[in-house]
Amino acid sequence: MPLVSTALTTATITAAGTVAAYTISTSAYNRDIILTNGATGSGTAFTVFVATGSASVSTTSGFPIPAGGTLIMAGGQGGGQIGSSNNVIYATCVSAATLVVGLGSVVSNI
């Protein structure tokens, strides 16, 4: 399991709003991206949905991250592999929430 390094950014999502949470570098060293739903409430209203296009993120078409949950995007940092031409991660939520974005640690097995 990857370890989370220092958070890169914390995106505040207003109730029923959409935010561009993080722009993935197309040239940086390839690292895992860690997305954590920082909502403190419970229930589906605090589930954050993420996608790689503002038009594709919604509570029905985005990828859900429940409150307190984490999504690990393996090898997402560098090259913009998660989308053919869109390297911006967008987030939305029914209630106000936060999305904490960090990078996985650089740990290798010998």
Side-chain angles (χ1 to χ4, degrees):
M1 169 167 287
L3 302 173
V4 178
S5 61
T6 304
L8 297 172
T9 187
T10 300
T12 301
I13 308 164
T14 59
T18 297
V19 64
Y22 182 67
T23 300
I24 298 169
S25 171
T26 57
S27 60
Y29 179 75
N30 199 0
R31 300 267 304 269
D32 294 346
I33 296 176
I34 314 296
L35 305 173
T36 300
N37 180 347
T40 56
S42 61
T44 57
F46 291 95
T47 297
V48 170
F49 294 82
V50 295
T52 58
S54 59
S56 63
V57 65
S58 72
T59 56
T60 56
S61 64
F63 189 90
I65 305 172
T70 297
L71 170 66
I72 301 171
M73 299 176 65
Q77 178 73 8
Q81 296 94 329
I82 63 169
S84 60
S85 62
N86 189 340
N87 61 334
V88 180
I89 298 173
Y90 290 88
T92 190
C93 190
V94 172
S95 298
T98 58
L99 183 69
V100 180
V101 181
L103 296 177
S105 65
V106 180
V107 177
S108 59
N109 296 322
I110 298 175

